[in-house]
Amino acid sequence: MDSLASRIQSAVDSTLSLLHSEIANFQTEESVKQGRILMTFTLITIIFLPLSFLSSLFALDVESFQKTPPWAFGVIFGASVGVSSAFTALALRASYLISIFKTIRECIYKKRKGSMEDEEAGLSEKMGLTHEGKKDR
């Protein structure tokens, strides 16, 4: 009777484990879908934000445009295209930039941890302690 109960318990545990794994896989797939949708929304926003700026610029009074020098339009369009391109590139490379920042942070953490260990070793030597924490005689 005990062996039957343990086999049933084992079967229930493995079924629950498989169910939890399936749920985790489903949640992962949904996260990936949401990430792609968010990236699409971000790119559309990056493209249309400068365009809305330009459309509001052209909604201004025509007489004021006639008084501006001819090079002003080149500057306005160039700046808009440059800003849009820069933010689009930034959005597309965001994961790469995040990984670079994580690597830098890990290096700083390791450096701090190493310097703290060096300070502890220096204090131990000054106090005459060995690695086990006992005094040298």
Side-chain angles (χ1 to χ4, degrees):
M1 187 72 168
D2 287 338
S3 66
L4 179 62
S6 65
R7 284 191 313 191
I8 291 172
Q9 180 67 32
S10 175
V12 168
D13 288 342
S14 64
T15 303
L16 286 175
S17 176
L18 289 172
L19 183 62
H20 287 285
S21 296
E22 186 176 343
I23 290 170
N25 287 339
F26 175 74
Q27 288 176 339
T28 303
E29 290 172 3
E30 287 299 312
S31 292
V32 169
K33 283 182 194 176
Q34 289 174 359
R36 288 183 182 143
I37 290 169
L38 188 60
M39 179 58 80
T40 303
F41 178 72
T42 302
L43 290 175
I44 290 171
T45 303
I46 288 171
I47 291 168
F48 283 105
L49 188 63
L51 292 177
S52 67
F53 166 72
L54 286 176
S55 67
S56 65
L57 183 69
F58 286 124
L60 296 176
D61 186 24
V62 176
E63 289 179 23
S64 64
F65 279 117
Q66 291 175 349
K67 294 176 185 175
T68 59
W71 55 266
F73 292 111
V75 170
I76 291 171
F77 285 118
S80 297
V81 168
V83 168
S84 293
S85 300
F87 281 127
T88 302
L90 183 67
L92 291 175
R93 302 294 269 166
S95 61
Y96 176 71
L97 294 173
I98 289 170
S99 67
I100 288 174
F101 288 130
K102 283 183 181 178
T103 305
I104 291 170
R105 186 176 61 197
E106 288 173 2
C107 288
I108 291 171
Y109 175 74
K110 287 179 183 177
K111 194 173 192 179
R112 284 184 185 167
K113 186 178 178 183
S115 65
M116 287 176 61
E117 289 174 354
D118 291 342
E119 287 177 14
E120 289 175 5
L123 282 174
S124 297
E125 288 176 11
K126 286 180 183 177
M127 294 174 60
L129 299 175
T130 62
H131 291 290
E132 290 83 27
K134 299 177 183 175
K135 283 200 170 199
D136 289 334
R137 296 181 189 202

